[in-house]
Amino acid sequence: MLDIFTWFYGGGIRGFLRIWKNYLAFIWYYFSIIPLLKTLLSPWRRDISFSNWRGLHPILFLQKLLNNIFSRVMGMIVRLAVIIFGLLLEIIAVFFGLLLFILWVVFPLALVASLILIIDLKGDIFFWLCSIGLLVFLLFYGLVIIRAFFFARQKDLADLSPEELAAEKWFIRVWNRMGFAAENPEIKNAFSDPESLIGQLAKIHLNPEDLEKIINWERYQEETKRRKARFWEREQLFSAMPVGRYWSFGYTVHLDRHARDLQSNSRIINDESHLMGHQKDIAMAELILTRPTQSNLLIVGDPGVGKTTFINYLAKEINQQKANQYLNAKRFVEIDLGTLARQSSNEAMETELERIFYEAAFAGNVILVVHDIHEFLSPENKKLDVNLSKILTDFLAVPSFQMIATATRQGYHNWIERNPGITKNMDTLIFEELSPEETVGALLWWITDREKGGVVATYQALKRIAELSNQYVSTAPMPEKAIDALEETLLSWGQSPDSQFLTREKVEEFFSQKYKVPVGKVGKAEKEKLINLEEILHQRVVGQNEAIREISEAMRRVRSGIGDSKKPVGSFLFLGPTGVGKTETAKALAQAYFGDEERMIRFDMSEFQTAESLDRFQGSEQRNEPSQLITKVSENPFSVLLFDEIEKAHPDILNLMLQILDEGWLTDVFGKKASFSNAIIIATSNAGAALIKEGMEQGIVGQALYKKLIADLIHNGTFRPEFLNRFDKVVLFGSLNQNELLEATRIALLAIAERIYKSKRIKINFADDVIAKIIEKGYDPVFGMRSVKRFAQDTIEDSVAKNLLAGTWSEGAEVQFSAADLNFN
């Protein structure tokens, strides 16, 4: 009781005076009393009857003068009416507030007095009823006071410790966000023990930093809810648009036909989304737009980095009076030039565009918003049959004309950067894609409206989506690709939810299914495959133990999560003669690990030897030709990337390889970025084959042969040292010995038999003498196993074709091939 009495005559009175002051200031602000007094004699919405004639026209001049006078008189009448009404409400608020303040001060005495009057039944009935009415009013006023007391006693959530926060009712959302349906005692008890907390959080794939972000997020949501409930606070009161906000600015009749006002768009104004990663850009944008001249802004970035969100957020800040004083009266008007072009004839298009731009400049408070402006500046684009560049250059130099435009990186470099008339009068902000950490925050904002009050997605799930989207999706930047992945994952989970929350495991399952990549916890079958990967690869590749071992170790590293996530999974240079298994090793890996050898992307570098071939490999801006490399890697990022005969490639391509091997990404001439962090890169070369063969015949093996070969390649200028050093391992492939040749031929024959069985259902068995005979007839030391495979394929398939045509064999038959059955001419 003492607490409420102390607060009543202390903090309570201060709070009452603050709220009273807020309402007095709000009335003054809402009815724009000062701005309307300053513009009392100004024309109503400016004098828009500007002259459009040449020469002396007294009648037109007189008409314009009369219109101007009438506009000013009408404007003064309306403004005076609003000012008087606002002042009247201000006086009422002063009087009513003073009355409530006096009542606040004497409330205890008034309450006691009303009780005494009621108890004294000797008074007349009218006086007694009045006393009852006063008592009811005082009781209601007392309830208001008690509620105000409890509001005042609420502690600031930012000042509470985790233990105190955990006692709050809303904290259940924190537990939900971590994946718990109810409070978790183990984690709660570890709040005051950092080491124990780390261990407890690690069990659910979180860390203390993650927990802090979760608490901060849910605390912010609760603070926002409480802040909105306090309608009397200055921030809430001043969020309303004041009367007469735009009365001193000009009409935009023609502009409004082809545009929309972002501040009057309820979706944007009521949107609770937040800008992530561009807070500094907001301050810079406000500074640019506030300048007296050259106050135009160009935002450059790939689709999906948040350019539109940035503009909408800035419009929302201005609408809620959170920007600087100069910008708070501005209108963001979004114009669709494409729609304007479709609605206008070619002859009227330029006139209409100039009229719209003139209105925007004359109005005095319009900031035009044009998205993808580069599309209308390209001479190859037919969306506008007018010279927009010339019109823009003229208007951008006008101080009262303001524009915010967006463009892609490619469009900026192609059509805007080269135009000094535009770049001179527009400041440029370059938007990079968000980091995975910033993207998690964007995902939290995006999912807020979809959760409808209850937690749907765990923080672990959102964090995993950001990580996997960054790793596997290259068709869009962050945060767009992560938001798209979250939306798809929610739809997939919602079809058959087997848990209360969207979890990390569900996210990994979705990515595995969609992108056909192993994600998440290593299952039993995959674990066995990784452990026995060497043995699996040797089912197709004979010999070459070192290459098989290096590849297998790289795959185990990446799936165990200890590899460098930015660089390629593994990078290997296979050196050795033709036909010893270099290409076959890459195919075997694609089939063994990804389930299909089609997951190998092969580039024959003999096709990229000339300067002209560079256009196909890295893309050509002049020919508008995309990069074959980036296109294929973007379509299949988790793959074996094979560069066959790399020594034949153009030197500039080898320079590109340096960045790929070192940084794990590459950008083409159009600005499209591709990640190679999910690929195993294998380059093959026949360079040094003779030296390898000679060394092995002389018994030189291991490091001795490796050093000798590398020195020879560098000395001859085949490869530069920095190129060779970028590979994780340079692997030497030697010629196959007789036993390895027999085994390789046996595998090749089995592959042919399997292919024939799949197509014709004819089962073929080979006698032992077939292998030796095929090697005898088909082996060429120059071409190695390639010559054996080619000879075996031609010989066996020719025999099968003849028997099928002759009707000797039919589908479902089982035949035995011996050396005598084959035509070895």
Side-chain angles (χ1 to χ4, degrees):
M1 192 65 182
L2 181 60
D3 289 344
I4 191 171
F5 186 81
T6 304
W7 168 84
F8 184 81
Y9 284 105
I13 290 180
R14 289 193 298 271
F16 181 92
L17 293 176
R18 179 172 56 82
I19 294 173
W20 187 18
K21 180 182 177 182
N22 288 345
Y23 274 101
L24 293 176
F26 167 70
I27 294 172
W28 200 263
Y29 155 80
Y30 184 74
F31 288 94
S32 307
I33 293 176
I34 297 299
L36 292 182
L37 281 172
K38 288 181 178 179
T39 59
L40 186 61
L41 299 179
S42 299
W44 180 254
R45 301 299 299 263
R46 297 197 173 189
D47 178 18
I48 63 168
S49 59
F50 46 85
S51 62
N52 55 2
W53 63 83
R54 294 182 180 180
L56 182 62
H57 292 269
I59 295 178
L60 292 177
F61 175 78
L62 181 61
Q63 183 180 6
K64 176 185 174 182
L65 180 62
L66 292 175
N67 286 340
N68 200 333
I69 294 173
F70 179 77
S71 174
R72 292 173 186 270
V73 171
M74 291 303 299
M76 182 179 66
I77 292 173
V78 175
R79 289 185 178 96
L80 276 175
V82 173
I83 292 172
I84 292 171
F85 185 72
L87 290 175
L88 180 62
L89 286 181
E90 188 80 355
I91 293 171
I92 293 173
V94 170
F95 175 77
F96 190 66
L98 182 62
L99 181 63
L100 289 178
F101 177 72
I102 294 173
L103 183 58
W104 182 288
V105 174
V106 301
F107 173 77
L109 295 176
L111 183 62
V112 172
S114 64
L115 289 172
I116 293 174
L117 289 174
I118 292 173
I119 293 172
D120 185 8
L121 298 179
K122 296 179 181 180
D124 62 34
I125 188 66
F126 176 77
F127 187 75
W128 186 75
L129 289 175
C130 291
S131 301
I132 291 290
L134 177 61
L135 178 61
V136 170
F137 173 76
L138 290 174
L139 289 176
F140 174 77
Y141 197 56
L143 291 176
V144 173
I145 292 174
I146 293 173
R147 184 170 177 80
F149 170 72
F150 284 108
F151 262 112
R153 291 293 298 268
Q154 280 186 332
K155 291 185 178 179
D156 191 338
L157 295 180
D159 298 332
L160 301 181
S161 65
E163 293 84 352
E164 292 173 318
L165 289 173
E168 297 276 333
K169 184 179 180 180
W170 59 267
F171 202 81
I172 185 62
R173 291 180 56 88
V174 174
W175 298 118
N176 292 163
R177 191 68 69 186
M178 289 191 284
F180 301 112
E183 179 182 285
N184 183 277
E186 289 80 9
I187 295 179
K188 183 179 179 181
N189 294 335
F191 279 163
S192 57
D193 186 353
E195 291 186 5
S196 176
L197 183 61
I198 292 174
Q200 292 293 336
L201 292 175
K203 296 177 182 178
I204 56 172
H205 302 284
L206 291 175
N207 56 51
E209 291 74 22
D210 293 332
L211 176 60
E212 183 178 3
K213 291 176 182 178
I214 294 171
I215 293 176
N216 288 342
W217 168 255
E218 299 301 341
R219 178 170 55 196
Y220 174 81
Q221 296 298 311
E222 179 63 19
E223 287 173 342
T224 302
K225 183 194 295 186
R226 292 184 180 183
R227 189 165 57 250
K228 287 183 176 180
R230 296 170 178 171
F231 56 88
W232 57 83
E233 295 292 352
R234 185 182 180 89
E235 180 182 0
Q236 302 301 318
L237 292 172
F238 278 67
S239 63
M241 183 181 295
V243 176
R245 184 176 186 177
Y246 300 134
W247 287 355
S248 60
F249 300 102
Y251 286 106
T252 53
V253 179
H254 290 83
L255 173 61
D256 293 341
R257 291 177 186 171
H258 307 286
R260 65 167 184 163
D261 195 321
L262 294 185
Q263 275 103 334
S264 63
N265 188 304
S266 59
R267 182 188 63 81
I268 293 173
I269 300 308
N270 297 324
D271 187 12
E272 290 298 330
S273 63
H274 192 70
L275 194 69
M276 298 300 299
H278 298 293
Q279 283 75 13
K280 293 182 179 179
D281 293 323
I282 285 288
M284 181 57 66
E286 289 188 6
L287 178 64
I288 293 169
L289 295 174
T290 305
R291 291 192 313 212
T293 60
Q294 296 181 343
S295 54
N296 303 288
L297 177 63
L298 177 65
I299 305 174
V300 178
D302 295 327
V305 297
K307 304 189 297 294
T308 301
T309 301
F310 179 86
I311 294 173
N312 291 345
Y313 181 82
L314 186 57
K316 181 180 177 181
E317 290 286 290
I318 291 174
N319 189 75
Q320 296 179 349
Q321 303 291 297
K322 294 180 180 178
N324 60 53
Q325 186 176 0
Y326 174 79
L327 289 178
N328 280 338
K330 291 291 183 179
R331 291 174 58 207
F332 274 41
V333 182
E334 184 180 79
I335 181 170
D336 186 346
L337 295 181
T339 302
L340 176 63
R342 290 191 296 270
Q343 293 175 347
S344 306
S345 62
N346 295 340
E347 296 76 15
M349 181 67 191
E350 185 169 353
T351 302
E352 187 72 5
L353 200 58
E354 288 181 344
R355 182 182 290 273
I356 287 172
F357 283 4
Y358 191 100
E359 279 188 355
F362 187 81
N365 69 328
V366 170
I367 298 179
L368 282 180
V369 176
V370 179
H371 291 290
D372 297 321
I373 196 171
H374 59 280
E375 294 184 358
F376 307 97
L377 297 175
S378 166
E380 302 173 359
N381 190 283
K382 301 303 180 184
K383 289 187 176 181
L384 292 180
D385 292 326
V386 298
N387 189 349
L388 179 61
S389 177
K390 172 65 169 57
I391 298 175
L392 265 183
T393 301
D394 293 341
F395 275 93
L396 288 174
V398 177
S400 61
F401 182 84
Q402 284 191 279
M403 174 181 284
I404 299 178
T406 68
T408 62
R409 285 178 178 271
Q410 180 182 344
Y412 173 73
H413 293 307
N414 287 351
W415 312 117
I416 300 177
E417 193 175 37
R418 304 172 183 177
N419 193 325
I422 295 178
T423 56
K424 176 184 177 182
N425 294 295
M426 296 193 84
D427 270 322
T428 303
L429 289 180
I430 305 295
F431 273 27
E432 302 291 345
E433 65 176 322
L434 299 187
S435 67
E437 293 75 19
E438 292 171 328
T439 299
V440 175
L443 294 180
L444 281 168
W445 278 105
W446 182 88
I447 203 172
T448 297
D449 292 337
R450 284 81 183 170
E451 290 183 323
K452 297 180 179 178
V455 172
V456 171
T458 66
Y459 188 85
Q460 296 93 315
L462 301 180
K463 187 178 178 181
R464 193 61 172 150
I465 283 176
E467 294 169 351
L468 295 179
S469 299
N470 186 57
Q471 183 176 1
Y472 294 124
V473 185
S474 57
T475 54
M478 290 288 210
E480 182 179 275
K481 59 185 179 182
I483 291 175
D484 290 343
L486 173 56
E487 190 167 19
E488 290 185 68
T489 308
L490 281 173
L491 289 173
S492 175
W493 168 75
Q495 292 174 358
S496 56
D498 56 359
S499 62
Q500 182 180 348
F501 310 109
L502 173 62
T503 63
R504 173 190 173 97
E505 290 72 26
K506 286 297 178 183
V507 170
E508 293 172 344
E509 179 182 329
F510 169 78
F511 271 82
S512 293
Q513 293 174 352
K514 180 171 183 177
Y515 297 103
K516 305 298 188 294
V517 295
V519 178
K521 187 177 180 181
V522 181
K524 182 179 180 181
E526 187 184 359
K527 186 183 300 182
E528 292 179 358
K529 182 191 295 184
L530 285 167
I531 294 174
N532 303 306
L533 192 54
E534 289 92 340
E535 181 181 339
I536 295 172
L537 294 178
H538 274 307
Q539 293 174 6
R540 285 189 60 170
V541 182
V542 177
Q544 316 304 349
N545 296 329
E546 183 181 6
I548 298 300
R549 178 177 55 81
E550 292 289 345
I551 289 287
S552 301
E553 289 178 354
M555 293 310 302
R556 283 190 284 266
R557 282 197 304 273
V558 71
R559 287 301 286 125
S560 61
I562 61 175
D564 189 336
S565 60
K566 295 182 180 179
K567 291 185 177 182
V569 174
S571 57
F572 308 96
L573 176 59
F574 291 171
L575 299 176
T578 299
V580 296
K582 302 190 298 295
T583 303
E584 188 67 20
T585 299
K587 289 182 179 180
L589 177 61
Q591 183 181 43
Y593 196 73
F594 304 127
D596 191 344
E597 70 175 50
E598 295 299 321
R599 297 297 292 270
M600 184 187 78
I601 302 174
R602 181 178 180 271
F603 284 92
D604 185 349
M605 303 312 292
S606 63
E607 300 177 3
F608 300 95
Q609 301 185 55
T610 64
E612 290 76 16
S613 65
L614 281 172
D615 291 343
R616 289 185 289 112
F617 190 79
Q618 66 179 5
S620 171
E621 186 177 339
Q622 290 74 20
R623 299 181 184 179
N624 196 28
E625 184 175 6
S627 165
Q628 290 185 7
L629 173 64
I630 288 182
T631 298
K632 289 186 177 181
V633 171
S634 298
E635 293 173 351
N636 195 1
F638 211 93
S639 58
V640 174
L641 186 56
L642 176 66
F643 297 99
D644 234 347
E645 298 187 283
I646 190 67
E647 78 279 4
K648 297 180 180 178
H650 190 276
D652 288 347
I653 291 181
L654 298 184
N655 291 333
L656 293 176
M657 290 286 293
L658 293 177
Q659 180 177 338
I660 294 172
L661 296 172
D662 196 38
E663 299 180 11
W665 60 270
L666 187 67
T667 304
D668 67 4
V669 293
F670 300 108
K672 182 178 180 181
K673 184 177 180 181
S675 172
F676 294 78
S677 60
N678 305 304
I680 296 177
I681 295 180
I682 298 176
T684 70
S685 175
N686 299 332
L691 184 61
I692 294 174
K693 183 175 182 297
E694 179 185 343
M696 289 185 172
E697 290 175 350
Q698 295 175 0
I700 305 175
V701 295
Q703 283 296 314
L705 179 58
Y706 174 81
K707 290 179 180 179
K708 185 177 181 180
L709 175 63
I710 296 299
D712 183 72
L713 293 175
I714 294 174
H715 177 74
N716 295 332
T718 307
F719 298 118
R720 291 180 294 167
E722 57 267 30
F723 178 75
L724 295 173
N725 287 336
R726 290 299 196 284
F727 289 97
D728 293 339
K729 186 70 176 179
V730 177
V731 182
L732 309 186
F733 281 67
S735 300
L736 301 178
N737 59 36
Q738 187 62 29
N739 290 333
E740 291 173 340
L741 194 58
L742 288 169
E743 179 62 18
T745 304
R746 184 188 69 80
I747 294 175
L749 292 179
L750 291 176
I752 294 172
E754 183 180 359
R755 188 168 63 250
I756 293 174
Y757 180 78
K758 286 182 178 179
S759 62
K760 296 298 181 181
R761 288 292 184 255
I762 296 175
K763 185 176 182 181
I764 299 178
N765 299 311
F766 296 101
D768 293 340
D769 60 348
V770 173
I771 297 177
K773 197 66 176 180
I774 286 178
I775 293 175
E776 177 189 339
K777 293 290 186 177
Y779 181 67
D780 184 339
V782 176
F783 297 103
M785 270 302 297
R786 277 200 175 92
S787 61
V788 174
K789 288 182 178 180
R790 191 178 304 115
F791 179 80
Q793 184 172 326
D794 292 344
T795 303
I796 295 170
E797 289 184 354
D798 179 65
S799 179
V800 172
K802 287 180 179 179
N803 281 282
L804 286 172
L805 290 173
T808 308
W809 297 347
S810 60
E811 289 195 12
E814 182 173 353
V815 297
Q816 179 78 15
F817 266 136
S818 66
D821 298 321
L822 298 171
N823 182 10
F824 288 116
N825 293 332

